Amino acid sequence: MAKFRKDGKKVAPGISTASLPDIVFMLLFFFMVTTTMRESTLLVKKPKLPKATELTKLEKKSLVSSIYVSTPSIDLQAVFGTQPVVQLNESIEDISKIARFVQLEREARNPNDRDFLTMNLKVDSKTKMGIISDIKMELRKANALKLNYSALPKANKK
Amino acid sequence: MAQLQKSCAIIFKKHTIMARRPFPEINSASMADIAFMLLIFFLVATTMDSDKGIFRVLPPYIDKPIQDEPIKVLDKNLFVVLINKDDRLMVEKKPMHPDDLRKACKDFLTNMNNDEADKIYPEYNVETIEGIGNVKVTKGIVSIQNDRGTSYDKYIEIQNEIVAAYNEVKDEYSKQYFRKPFKDLNEDQQKAIKALIPQRISEAEPKNIGGK
């Protein structure tokens, strides 16, 4: 006759956490690979980038400086208004400060690489071209001619 | 033989004794916590920003334009794209839907000097390109002019369409001369194709009709 154990209460077996580090490491590596370091805190609303199909990847990350153009974030709208503004580094600046910004960014780079400095324009898609034209003019005056209109990939129409 | 077996047994015994010696294992219970900490650091300190975009080189700034001899471009060599403050498009003096721009631009870039009744195509130079030979190279220039009131979204869309037209023409030429798409060509071949269809996009100073 088979014996059935009846002694002791049934205890639910604990879930093994041995694989927990592996799972977390997997997540960690995913984020390490797919993300980039945050450059500056945004004082403007996160620009909704336009979409395009013919994109090129920026080659050298260290030779890229970003210029943000978007409306100021809600808590700063009392100071800067609701029209799109320019953010350089950590502050919202007037367009005329771009030349100084370019100069400082150049000086921060290795002298051999200074000519390859690329300006990455991160502009909200609702912005009017007026401010962009002014920025382009300032960049030309500052002799920062390499420009990248930051955009998100879009599925091709075909 | 028996002796050998005996000595082996002794060695084996010795080893098992040594293996049995308690060896402190590293406690890995905190591994998950450490990994979590790293994970949270990366979540906070990084962004998923894209580093892709449409690359452009601006023309250098000229303080006083040279008045003596402005560069003259024949009207037929220009493909004029105008965008107004309402994001409407006018191409070669005719209104156009943005979806048709790519085809029109390609048409302009690939046809050379075979004028038809209602269409005028740009002139060409005959150039010798290494790897291809003597070929016609179009003198066509795409000119974009926008208003200060044009939206950035539309501007990028138009830029994208024109770059797409150039890329498609490059691809077609690559297939014609090297039987491969442009991205699979080697460096010299890509250079040859780039010489065959130079990307000339001119941007005029924007007008201010629509206002800011």
Side-chain angles (χ1 to χ4, degrees), chain B residues 2-18:
Chain B
Q3 215 169 17
L4 188 76
Q5 253 178 357
K6 208 177 172 186
S7 62
C8 272
I10 289 165
I11 290 165
F12 185 68
K13 214 174 175 186
K14 256 190 183 173
H15 268 264
T16 48
I17 288 164
M18 269 173 76

Side-chain angles (χ1 to χ4, degrees), chain B residues 34-96:
Chain B
I34 295 164
F36 260 121
M37 230 156 58
L38 278 169
L39 176 65
I40 288 161
F41 168 75
F42 272 93
L43 278 175
V44 171
T46 62
T47 49
M48 269 213 179
D49 279 351
S50 74
D51 50 353
K52 286 177 175 173
I54 295 173
F55 189 74
R56 232 346 95 72
V57 179
L58 296 172
Y61 180 70
I62 302 161
D63 207 14
K64 280 177 192 159
I66 305 149
Q67 293 293 323
D68 321 338
E69 213 178 296
I71 306 155
K72 273 188 184 166
V73 179
L74 275 179
D75 219 22
K76 65 194 292 195
N77 290 345
L78 268 180
F79 185 75
V80 183
V81 181
L82 302 170
I83 322 166
N84 77 356
K85 69 174 174 64
D86 300 321
D87 292 351
R88 296 283 190 89
L89 207 60
M90 187 155 89
V91 179
E92 297 283 75
K93 293 167 189 158
K94 278 178 208 146
M96 187 180 269

Side-chain angles (χ1 to χ4, degrees), chain A residues 34-86:
Chain A
T34 55
T35 61
T36 50
M37 274 295 179
R38 197 184 287 271
E39 295 137 27
S40 50
T41 45
L42 276 179
L43 299 173
V44 291
K45 277 185 190 164
K46 192 173 163 40
K48 254 192 195 153
L49 298 175
K51 287 187 173 155
T53 51
E54 312 300 312
L55 298 173
T56 41
K57 204 164 193 270
L58 281 172
E59 289 300 330
K60 280 193 176 166
K61 275 250 139 191
S62 58
L63 291 172
V64 175
S65 311
S66 293
I67 296 175
Y68 294 89
V69 182
S70 184
T71 47
S73 55
I74 289 166
D75 48 331
L76 287 169
Q77 280 183 358
V79 188
F80 295 102
T82 53
Q83 288 302 307
V85 286
V86 181

